[in-house]
Amino acid sequence: MKGSREKAASELFAALYPRLAGWCRRLVDDDETAHEIASEAFTRLWSRWTSVAEPRGFLYVTAANLVRDHWRKLERERRAVRRATTEAVVGPPNEQADPSVRLLVQSLPERLRVPILLHYYADMPIREVSVLTGRKEGTVKADLHAARELLRAHLRRSLDHTL
């Protein structure tokens, strides 16, 4: 009996996992997260194997709920990042930092300011900044580069004006 149960589950996994993971991938735009969600849906199906009448429907409903939870988590993280960056921007000035650099960072567009604050001011690695902002690592790197170029140009202009 147990062997036939495992065989049926294995066949179902082989038949449905690739399509379910692909569907999740389109919803979350991240391979790793998509595979985690699809795997978790199968794990939950396996734990209820004998009581689920329609496994395919169960898998997709479970995956949809997990995707929704993922989106909610991302939104909570984004709100926390916005709060943290707002507090960092309006917080007490860092005595060691040049006030003109701090003002320049504050003047950056939010898309560039948030990665700068998280990476350079909060010492977070790019991977963590990527997770917190919901952006791909390459996008975070590009934003950091663009922000540094803007800061460099502003600093150059301000130095030219003081000489």
Side-chain angles (χ1 to χ4, degrees):
M1 177 91 182
K2 187 173 182 172
S4 65
R5 177 179 173 221
E6 289 176 2
K7 184 175 187 250
S10 179
E11 289 172 357
L12 186 73
F13 183 85
L16 297 180
Y17 184 83
R19 178 169 268 163
L20 180 66
W23 180 73
C24 291
R25 169 69 174 86
R26 286 189 300 279
L27 293 173
V28 299
D29 198 30
D30 177 59
D31 287 334
E32 187 177 332
T33 303
H35 285 287
E36 287 174 9
I37 289 171
S39 296
E40 178 62 22
F42 270 95
T43 300
R44 291 182 184 190
L45 173 63
W46 181 252
S47 70
R48 294 168 182 80
W49 184 252
T50 56
S51 63
V52 173
E54 176 49 51
R56 185 176 181 275
F58 179 89
L59 286 169
Y60 276 85
V61 168
T62 301
N65 288 335
L66 292 168
V67 166
R68 184 197 62 222
D69 292 346
H70 171 74
W71 287 342
R72 286 178 176 166
K73 179 181 173 217
L74 286 178
E75 185 53 35
R76 284 191 306 270
E77 289 171 349
R78 285 186 188 113
R79 281 195 301 261
V81 167
R82 281 194 294 271
R83 276 194 308 273
T85 55
T86 300
E87 290 167 7
V89 169
V90 297
N94 181 353
E95 286 83 17
Q96 298 169 333
D98 181 349
S100 62
V101 172
R102 187 173 45 81
L103 291 173
L104 287 174
V105 169
Q106 286 177 355
S107 72
L108 288 171
E110 182 177 354
R111 175 182 69 81
L112 302 177
R113 183 178 63 239
V114 170
I116 287 285
L117 290 171
L118 294 175
H119 185 65
Y120 292 108
Y121 286 78
D123 290 327
M124 290 184 184
I126 289 173
R127 172 106 176 108
E128 193 171 342
V129 174
S130 169
V131 169
L132 286 173
T133 60
R135 300 180 194 155
K136 294 181 179 179
E137 287 184 45
T139 303
V140 171
K141 289 176 185 178
D143 288 345
L144 288 170
H145 174 76
R148 286 190 307 266
E149 290 301 312
L150 274 174
L151 292 171
R152 189 175 292 124
H154 284 300
L155 287 171
R156 218 176 265 130
R157 279 197 298 275
S158 67
L159 283 174
D160 291 344
H161 289 292
T162 59
L163 296 178

